[in-house]
Amino acid sequence: MRTVILGGRGFLGSTLAKRLPDVLLLGSAEVDLIQPTAVEKLRSLIREGDALVFASALTPDKGKDARTAMKNLAMGEHVSAVVESVKFSHIVYISSDAVYADDANPVRETSCASPTTLYGLMHLMRERMILVSAGKTPVMIVRLCAMYGTGDTHNSYGPNRFMRTAVKDRVIQLFGQGEEQRDHLHVNDCARLIELCLKERFIGVLNAATGKAVSFMEVAQMVAAIVGGVEVKGQPRSGPVTHRHFDITEMIKAFPLFQFTPLEDGLRALR
Amino acid sequence: MKIGFAGMSHLGIVTSAATAAKGFDVVIYGTPAMISEPGLPELLAVNQSRIKPITNPGALKDCDLVVVSLDVSTDIGNHSDLTGLRQLIAQLPPVATLVILSQVPPGFTRSLKLPNVYYQVETLIFGRAVERALHPERYMIGCANPSAPLPDSYAKWLQAFDCPILPMRYESAELAKISINMFLVSSVATTNTLAEVCEAIGADWNEIAPALRLDKRIGQHAYLSPGLGIAGGNLERDLITVRTLAEQHGTDASIVTAWLANSRYRRDWVLRKLHEHIGEPIAVWGLAYKQDTASTKNSPALALLELLKGFRVQTYDPAVKGTATSALEACADAAVLVVMTPWKEFSSYSAAQLAGKMKGRVVIDPFAMLDGQQLTADGFMYHRVGGE
């Protein structure tokens, strides 16, 4: 079975593609999903029975404003139109933990989806678009926590940026003292989870997270220890400290043998 | 005086035996449930001559008092199915006084529209049912008119047990039963919530609980032992009943939803620990939902086994059939031992005995039945709830 990956040139899409035997990778260079012409273009490239992974989105580093949100929704609209007219064997929609309320700790699949950002709201809307368009086609929604790993094209606050600045400038700058705890998922682990979802044709919602949140300070100190000779610098805090923890019981039930890459090993591989 | 019992549930068997023990003649109707209860065989042996089984419910018409003690079954969503109870009541001949002892939701007794009917709150605890039937704390009696005296036969039966009798309207009694269970659930949920905090911050719930018991507002007998959430079916049924009533009447029962979610989360505590120590075979001690009973209804152990399909699992339970013949036999070559029911006998096994049988060195013992310090000293990875 062939898997079509929209967003196939991105951080996750390209990593996932390496794990699958038969893939059609489509990035914005091949099909610009924001444009209405994407519908016909996709229809011409897709075969009945393909599995679809929709991993394409403008992430917050590209903009957190309404215009960016509307571009993302346009992608959702165009992909939904294709989903309505082509019979896929399985659809995996790559969403985000931004769909959950900020205080939903510990986040689980049944937590209230009440996004506070346009990015989260956009993903929630696109999830619904795909589910409505898919009809009886099995749909899996994978909500990602923060990802890191080799090949990250974003420069978000977290492991990848810490490693880059540690190597280049010998310094890691934290917001406040880096007290916020977050769940950091290695991109390879995320790709493995999606591969398993595809293999078993899972349906429903799965949070892709390790279940072990650590503070940005701990991540920075690990990176500093790996690189050596790096200063970790805090700065005055401008906002309140917020944490995000995941309860991954449902993931364990679905994949009891799945084990995550230890954070330290994943950070070491970034070097 | 002759007292009839219709519906030989766990509750019916124990209550009828306790009634016979107080010197009453007892007539029982219905197929007896298969139960295991400490002290029951002895109680029945001594009082068997006063207990007469009947096969025709019409024979209950000669009784001074008829007690309906059928077990009310629940569906997979823990909703009560009252069909069997209504059918049984419809089969009964006209009797002088009818007492409903079965677990019913508020509104049930009044809906029967029968004369001389009472609802009596049962507070059976599996494993302690005989003790509680012989020495009840109090009786809560739902009446059509709480200010009217109870019929002589009913009053005589209750007075034989020498405890306070509290008449109240039907709905109050029916809700009183649920209220007791709600308070127990709140204690269980609070304990488990704090036990998890203990595990996270290095505190030990076993050090905190005795201090709480000395607080009169909490009390010596409060449910302060951390565990794997609520199980057994009865507490879950009452939570669902309250949530249904809240939906019907527009009251706020969001806390009930939170308790149910908390219970589901706690039930999977063992699974989360097991995931940190994947290995086969897995030895599981205890399948019953709690100690001193063979009941496995809503048992965390069965829920765990369902999730471990595909793994080699070796089980042992002293009261549940189809398991290994001994606890140590179940441990043969096991990579991990999980203790799912706090049977007393489990605490008799030493670290050395486990080490002699198991190939792995992981023990997950939520109820702290084993000597964790000794196991840790002997090289085991040891996990319990509420502490390190």
Side-chain angles (χ1 to χ4, degrees):
Chain A
M1 182 184 67
R2 188 175 73 159
T3 305
V4 178
I5 305 178
L6 304 180
R9 310 291 176 195
F11 180 36
L12 174 60
S14 57
T15 309
L16 176 62
K18 290 176 196 152
R19 305 193 63 85
L20 301 174
D22 185 8
V23 291
L24 173 63
L25 287 183
L26 297 174
S28 55
E30 290 86 10
V31 184
D32 184 356
L33 295 176
I34 297 170
Q35 302 306 321
T37 51
V39 177
E40 281 314 311
K41 185 78 186 283
L42 282 175
R43 280 180 183 146
S44 71
L45 294 169
I46 287 166
R47 298 196 297 251
E48 192 159 300
D50 281 344
L52 175 69
V53 177
F54 183 5
S56 179
L58 297 173
T59 44
D61 55 299
K62 304 279 193 324
K64 298 177 180 174
D65 54 1
R67 192 172 304 143
T68 309
M70 294 311 291
K71 285 179 184 171
N72 274 324
L73 289 177
M75 289 189 211
E77 180 190 4
H78 300 144
V79 175
S80 295
V82 177
V83 167
E84 274 174 7
S85 57
V86 177
K87 194 165 171 47
F88 288 102
S89 57
H90 190 208
I91 299 169
V92 177
Y93 177 72
I94 306 301
S95 184
S96 161
D97 72 330
V99 302
Y100 295 113
D102 289 344
D103 60 353
N105 289 319
V107 174
R108 46 181 73 111
E109 286 76 2
T110 51
S111 297
C112 180
S114 177
T116 52
T117 62
L118 287 174
Y119 183 71
L121 192 59
M122 170 280 291
H123 267 304
L124 195 56
M125 185 97 171
R126 295 203 327 187
E127 286 180 8
R128 190 55 48 186
M129 284 178 178
I130 295 298
L131 283 167
V132 168
S133 308
K136 290 180 179 170
T137 303
V139 176
M140 182 78 204
I141 291 164
V142 181
R143 293 172 174 164
L144 309 183
C145 68
M147 262 191 320
Y148 74 100
T150 309
D152 183 14
T153 53
H154 315 102
N155 196 32
S156 307
Y157 181 66
N160 280 83
R161 190 201 287 185
F162 291 174
M163 184 58 81
R164 283 185 195 120
T165 58
V167 171
K168 185 166 169 268
D169 307 325
R170 298 282 149 183
V171 68
I172 298 173
Q173 286 277 2
L174 296 172
F175 295 131
Q177 295 304 309
E179 299 96 331
E180 295 94 339
Q181 293 184 40
R182 294 288 184 276
D183 197 310
H184 299 283
L185 177 68
H186 196 280
V187 67
N188 287 347
D189 293 341
C190 186
R192 283 165 56 216
L193 277 174
I194 296 168
E195 181 190 9
L196 288 169
C197 290
L198 284 165
K199 196 171 169 186
E200 305 289 337
R201 286 221 284 172
F202 268 104
I203 60 169
V205 176
L206 181 75
N207 291 332
T210 69
K212 292 195 190 319
V214 296
S215 70
F216 285 111
M217 173 60 88
E218 287 173 88
V219 176
Q221 286 173 338
M222 280 188 215
V223 171
I226 291 165
V227 176
V230 173
E231 185 186 3
V232 177
K233 285 171 75 172
Q235 56 189 305
R237 168 169 298 286
S238 56
V241 175
T242 61
H243 303 296
R244 171 138 288 185
H245 297 268
F246 284 84
D247 167 17
I248 62 162
T249 307
E250 293 307 313
M251 195 287 297
I252 295 171
K253 288 177 182 174
F255 309 115
L257 292 171
F258 193 92
Q259 295 290 317
F260 291 98
T261 306
L263 182 58
E264 196 164 347
D265 294 354
L267 294 175
R268 211 173 283 283
L270 286 178
R271 191 74 211 272
Chain B
M1 192 172 116
K2 187 158 58 173
I3 300 177
F5 284 83
M8 285 295 99
S9 60
H10 199 128
L11 177 67
I13 293 169
V14 174
T15 311
S16 59
T19 300
K22 293 293 180 184
F24 296 99
D25 289 327
V26 170
V27 173
I28 58 171
Y29 168 69
T31 307
M34 293 282 289
I35 65 168
S36 160
E37 193 63 56
L40 183 62
E42 297 81 359
L43 190 71
L44 285 171
V46 172
N47 297 288
Q48 201 65 59
S49 62
R50 277 191 292 275
I51 302 174
K52 181 185 170 193
I54 57 169
T55 54
N56 179 2
L60 291 167
K61 72 177 187 307
D62 298 331
C63 293
D64 300 285
L65 184 70
V66 172
V67 179
V68 177
S69 50
L70 187 76
D71 190 39
V72 173
S73 60
T74 51
D75 63 18
I76 196 165
N78 293 308
H79 297 91
S80 296
D81 179 1
L82 297 161
T83 315
L85 181 61
R86 287 190 188 280
Q87 285 171 348
L88 176 62
I89 292 170
Q91 282 176 22
L92 298 177
V95 293
T97 302
L98 185 70
V99 176
I100 308 294
L101 201 57
S102 303
Q103 315 89 333
V104 298
F108 176 84
T109 315
R110 198 174 294 281
S111 77
L112 293 174
K113 295 187 170 65
L114 291 172
N116 304 320
V117 63
Y118 295 84
Y119 168 70
Q120 181 173 321
V121 178
E122 61 82 14
T123 54
L124 175 137
I125 298 177
F126 283 8
R128 290 178 54 204
V130 169
E131 167 208 334
R132 288 179 66 86
L134 289 170
H135 308 288
E137 293 159 309
R138 74 301 199 210
Y139 284 127
M140 292 159 277
I141 311 298
C143 315
N145 178 8
S147 57
L150 295 175
D152 288 345
S153 58
Y154 191 16
K156 191 175 172 187
W157 178 47
L158 296 178
Q159 284 160 4
F161 292 86
D162 194 25
C163 70
I165 300 170
L166 307 170
M168 57 188 80
R169 68 191 70 179
Y170 289 141
E171 291 79 4
S172 298
E174 289 162 339
L175 191 59
K177 160 71 185 159
I178 291 171
S179 304
I180 293 166
N181 283 345
M182 292 279 280
F183 271 87
L184 298 181
V185 171
S186 69
S187 297
V188 169
T190 304
T191 297
N192 284 334
T193 298
L194 291 168
E196 188 178 24
V197 173
C198 285
E199 292 164 30
I201 68 169
D204 190 334
W205 183 251
N206 288 343
E207 294 169 350
I208 297 171
L212 299 186
R213 290 188 193 283
L214 291 174
D215 190 310
K216 285 179 182 166
R217 296 164 298 178
I218 299 171
Q220 284 295 326
H221 304 288
Y223 274 32
L224 299 183
S225 298
L228 302 177
I230 55 174
N234 291 342
L235 299 176
E236 297 93 312
R237 177 203 59 219
D238 287 350
L239 292 179
I240 296 299
T241 298
V242 170
R243 202 162 70 171
T244 305
L245 286 170
E247 282 168 11
Q248 283 171 355
H249 299 283
T251 62
D252 178 13
S254 51
I255 195 166
V256 174
T257 303
W259 286 336
L260 287 165
N262 178 265
S263 181
R264 278 194 297 273
Y265 176 66
R266 290 302 299 181
R267 193 185 64 184
D268 292 324
W269 181 90
V270 171
L271 181 74
R272 289 189 288 274
K273 289 292 172 200
L274 262 177
H275 188 249
E276 296 170 13
H277 306 284
I278 294 286
E280 292 183 279
I282 300 167
V284 176
W285 282 1
L287 298 184
Y289 89 91
K290 68 176 192 177
Q291 72 277 26
D292 299 326
T293 177
S295 174
T296 56
K297 184 158 186 182
N298 289 9
S299 144
L302 292 197
L304 178 69
L305 293 186
E306 186 67 25
L307 295 167
L308 294 180
K309 280 181 177 169
F311 288 86
R312 278 182 294 138
V313 179
Q314 300 164 179
T315 60
Y316 170 71
D317 187 292
V320 179
K321 290 179 180 168
T323 65
T325 54
S326 75
L328 287 178
E329 183 189 295
C331 286
D333 293 328
V336 186
L337 167 63
V338 183
V339 184
M340 292 298 288
T341 311
W343 285 99
K344 197 175 173 187
E345 75 160 81
F346 296 156
S347 60
S348 67
Y349 294 101
S350 67
Q353 284 175 294
L354 296 183
K357 279 284 181 185
M358 294 173 63
K359 74 173 181 208
R361 289 292 178 270
V362 179
V363 173
I364 300 172
D365 181 18
F367 306 101
M369 297 306 294
L370 295 159
D371 184 342
Q373 283 187 343
Q374 188 60 53
L375 282 162
T376 305
D378 286 8
F380 281 83
M381 294 279 287
Y382 180 77
H383 298 281
R384 65 175 169 91
V385 296
E388 289 175 307

